Amino acid sequence: MSIKEAGVDLSTPTGDEKRRFPTFTKKRTTTVSILALLAWTVAVFDYGLFGTLLPAMQEEFGWTAPEAYAINTWIAVGTAIVCFGIGPVIDRLGRRKGMMLTVGGTAIVSGVTAFIPAGLGFMSNALLVLVRSFGGLGFSEQAVNATYMNEVYQVTEDERKRKRPGFHYSFIQGGWPLGFLLASALALAFLPSLGWRALYLMATIPAIIIVLLIAKKLKETPQFELHQKLTQLEKSGKTSEAHALAKSFGVEHSSSAPLKRIWEPALRRNTIIFSLAWIVNFFGIMIFSILGTSVLANAKGVQLSDAFWMLIIINLLAYFGYVFHGWLGDKIGRKKTIVSGWIISGLSFAVMLSPLVASPFLIILTYGTGLFFLVGPYSAIQYFMAECYPVSCRATGLAFIGAMSQPGIILGGALFTVVAAAAGTGPAALWVGALGTLLSGFLMLGTKSVPAVALEEANAIV
């Protein structure tokens, strides 16, 4: 009698038996999509809180401005280390448990941050760096989402999501601006009365709720369940059974470690180019998204209060950038979408920084266009990367490349600081942020696209 595990027939096949993966119903697919969006939004909420609350924390911890920058830099280093390590863990634990780990880790990090004492000098700073470094768990949640949703949309009964996966995934990846807006809105409302520690406690509550919902409502993808079974057979020395089982599903079995697989000849080129593109693109993310208020105030002479409201409008529009690029990726291809978006973004920011753009309307128009085409392509690139890596190393590849954002922030921040000290904020934003964004678009030309016919084969390698 066949052995069934979560609907996947993992018994030893007989002869040339052919099998198919069980499907996800429309209802289950919708549930997964909603929880993935909420998980990413809450993870970004915690990630965005640190930048939003840094001035208040700086005052309580007694840091000077250079000390606060140094703390932020060390946290970026720690975040990168956590991000590099989490991918292989997810490829072993599974997509569902991986989501629980990243969101659950976010809840713990938020809660512990609220109780770090401020009067212990170096010890306080070291504790803060250590705890906030594990915020990399939350940042890695997007890698879990892209991995999970790619596999769900392959087997869903929902024909619309199966045919236009990039468009539907874009709504989930749009949790980035939603998380930042949530952090800004709650800080505006409660920071003066409750203080920064209370806001971190607020971030803990929704994360805990979402972990409980994931545990109750989500199930593992059949692709990963097959991969897990093949790995067990391989470890037990039943290599021939593993290959026979894989063949019955029409897939290829690989026993290589996930971190090793992403550097194999067939995948190495994309791993290198994606990583370089993320590094230099995060020059633009850091300057125009994270330090947007400073750029508007110091480079364009905008009052801080006006800059804040400008960025609220611009970030609201940026959400639709995700949706647009997800839709466009399904139409013309994800690679073309990313390349064109980042090139347009770099040029738009260059125009915004020119002396010819001085009116509030033109500043919002050019800055908004730049941010629209800067962050929007991330809905396409996350799904594009998920398509480029097979099941056995998909989460590892996405988490590894996502971790390259932190070296981008560190290197971009250092370059921005040096150029700004020598020539001012405007030239620094131009030659580091706008040029980095433009360069990332051209770098993406070197990636290997996945043809529609080969896509099924690539996704089938477990």
Side-chain angles (χ1 to χ4, degrees):
M1 185 172 65
S2 293
I3 301 170
K4 298 282 185 177
E5 293 183 19
V8 187
D9 186 354
L10 300 178
S11 62
T12 302
T14 57
D16 294 327
E17 181 183 352
K18 301 298 181 183
R19 298 175 181 175
R20 296 178 62 87
F21 288 120
T23 59
F24 268 57
T25 64
K26 288 185 178 181
K27 181 180 179 181
R28 189 176 293 277
T29 302
T30 300
T31 300
V32 171
S33 300
I34 293 173
L35 284 177
L37 170 60
L38 293 175
W40 179 225
T41 301
V42 167
V44 176
F45 175 30
D46 169 81
Y47 186 79
L49 269 181
F50 185 77
T52 303
L53 301 177
L54 187 58
M57 297 175 71
Q58 179 179 334
E59 182 178 350
E60 183 172 335
F61 281 81
W63 301 324
T64 62
E67 286 173 339
Y69 177 75
I71 293 291
N72 186 62
T73 300
W74 281 111
I75 289 174
V77 172
T79 299
I81 293 172
V82 172
C83 289
F84 282 131
I86 196 65
V89 174
I90 295 168
D91 273 326
R92 283 174 170 80
L93 285 179
R95 299 15 174 158
R96 174 177 168 273
K97 290 181 180 177
M99 193 180 294
M100 293 173 64
L101 173 64
T102 54
V103 182
T106 297
I108 294 171
V109 168
S110 296
V112 174
T113 301
F115 293 102
I116 295 176
L120 302 180
F122 172 79
M123 184 61 69
S124 293
N125 296 348
L127 282 171
L128 185 66
V129 170
L130 177 63
V131 171
R132 292 307 309 169
S133 292
F134 281 93
L137 289 170
F139 189 80
S140 297
E141 207 284 322
Q142 63 181 326
V144 185
N145 273 355
T147 300
Y148 197 3
M149 300 315 302
N150 179 276
E151 293 172 9
V152 168
Y153 288 162
Q154 287 176 38
V155 297
T156 182
E157 291 179 350
D158 191 332
E159 189 174 346
R160 294 176 304 169
K161 290 184 173 65
R162 194 170 62 251
K163 289 185 175 181
R164 303 174 64 193
F167 172 69
H168 291 282
Y169 174 74
S170 67
F171 289 95
I172 297 170
Q173 187 62 21
W176 176 271
L178 294 181
F180 270 96
L181 284 174
L182 183 61
S184 299
L186 290 181
L188 255 176
F190 298 110
L191 180 60
S193 58
L194 299 180
W196 64 268
R197 296 180 186 274
L199 285 163
Y200 275 113
L201 291 176
M202 288 183 188
T204 302
I205 297 171
I208 292 174
I209 293 173
I210 289 173
V211 170
L212 295 175
L213 287 173
I214 291 171
K216 183 178 180 180
K217 297 290 186 180
L218 298 194
K219 73 172 186 176
E220 191 52 81
T221 64
Q223 296 95 320
F224 178 79
E225 289 178 349
L226 174 61
H227 165 66
Q228 193 172 42
K229 181 64 175 181
L230 296 177
T231 302
Q232 291 172 357
L233 290 172
E234 188 78 32
K235 288 181 178 179
S236 301
K238 300 177 180 178
T239 304
S240 58
E241 289 185 29
H243 285 286
L245 180 58
K247 184 180 178 181
S248 71
F249 283 94
V251 301
E252 176 188 342
H253 171 55
S254 173
S255 57
S256 298
L259 195 57
K260 181 180 178 182
R261 285 222 67 194
I262 67 174
W263 295 103
E264 289 179 352
L267 303 175
R268 184 189 305 137
R269 175 175 163 181
N270 274 352
T271 298
I272 293 172
I273 294 177
F274 277 133
S275 297
L276 292 174
W278 271 64
I279 288 173
V280 294
N281 187 261
F282 258 77
F283 290 6
I285 293 287
M286 192 240 358
I287 292 169
F288 298 115
S289 182
I290 298 173
L291 298 179
T293 304
S294 297
V295 171
L296 287 171
N298 298 327
K300 304 303 296 183
V302 176
Q303 294 294 320
L304 284 176
S305 57
D306 293 335
F308 177 76
W309 289 110
M310 280 184 178
L311 286 175
I312 285 181
I313 296 171
I314 289 167
N315 276 289
L316 282 172
L317 293 174
Y319 179 83
F320 296 98
Y322 286 93
V323 178
F324 171 76
H325 285 89
W327 168 82
L328 188 63
D330 286 332
K331 292 292 185 181
I332 69 171
R334 306 191 211 292
K335 177 178 175 178
K336 291 179 183 178
T337 297
I338 299 159
V339 169
S340 59
W342 282 349
I343 289 176
I344 292 171
S345 175
L347 294 175
S348 298
F349 283 127
V351 172
M352 183 273 296
L353 291 164
S354 73
L356 298 175
V357 176
S359 70
F361 172 76
L362 286 178
I363 292 173
I364 290 177
L365 178 63
T366 52
Y367 201 117
T369 301
L371 202 63
F372 184 93
F373 287 103
L374 172 64
V375 300
Y378 275 90
S379 65
I381 197 171
Q382 287 286 349
Y383 209 85
F384 182 37
M385 292 190 304
E387 291 173 337
C388 290
Y389 291 98
V391 174
S392 59
C393 64
R394 182 169 290 148
T396 297
L398 269 64
F400 181 91
I401 295 164
M404 290 299 174
S405 60
Q406 303 309 305
I409 287 176
I410 296 166
L411 181 58
L415 291 172
F416 180 71
T417 301
V418 170
V419 179
T425 300
L430 175 65
W431 293 110
V432 180
L435 183 60
T437 303
L438 187 69
L439 178 59
S440 66
F442 284 110
L443 277 170
M444 284 297 298
L445 287 170
T447 56
K448 293 168 63 177
S449 296
V450 183
V453 175
L455 181 57
E456 290 185 17
E457 298 175 4
N459 283 327
I461 301 174
V462 295

